[in-house]
Amino acid sequence: HVQLVESGGGSVQAGGSLRLSCAFSGGRGSRVCMGWFRQAPGKGREGVAVIDSDDSTDYADSVKGRFTISRDSAKNTLYLEMNSLKPEDTGMYYCAAGRGGLIPSVYDIWGQGTQVTVS
């Protein structure tokens, strides 16, 4: 079965950048929709960016123009490049695989998460 492992989180100042990675194993990640989601303290999980099997992408309005999702199928890795980070981007970031779209409930495979803190 598919397993997802995130890395690359950390603490940065506002305006800084981070690159998250999600290594997937046990399946063909390029054949499914994969995405990044986040959850801030006291809030629900929200979709940040997704990439479908045809490499089409979609982003939450709050991150458009700042975040970029990409996938390297040869390395079985999903990425999220985050620029111009804001304090409101703080949260636990999760990688997921599922049916598509920015709604977390349609994703059934999740990583353990990586923390991003912007001050």
Side-chain angles (χ1 to χ4, degrees), residues 6-113:
E6 303 94 333
S7 61
S11 297
V12 296
Q13 292 188 335
S17 299
L18 281 175
R19 187 193 198 199
L20 305 184
S21 298
C22 172
F24 51 85
S25 61
R28 289 290 300 275
S30 62
R31 291 185 176 181
V32 299
C33 183
M34 298 189 71
W36 289 98
F37 299 79
R38 67 186 180 191
Q39 187 164 14
K43 295 187 177 181
R45 195 168 296 187
E46 63 174 352
V48 174
V50 298
I51 184 166
D52 215 330
S53 56
D54 62 357
D55 285 341
S56 60
T57 58
D58 195 13
Y59 296 89
D61 288 343
S62 59
V63 306
K64 283 180 180 176
R66 300 188 297 122
F67 290 12
T68 302
I69 188 171
S70 62
R71 171 168 49 200
D72 187 333
S73 297
K75 295 182 178 180
N76 283 351
T77 304
L78 181 74
Y79 301 101
L80 184 68
E81 187 76 36
M82 305 186 294
N83 299 313
S84 302
L85 282 162
K86 304 175 181 180
E88 51 262 45
D89 294 318
T90 294
M92 186 69 78
Y93 281 68
Y94 298 91
C95 170
R99 287 185 285 161
L102 289 167
I103 306 301
S105 62
V106 302
Y107 288 77
D108 50 7
I109 301 172
W110 293 84
Q112 82 289 348

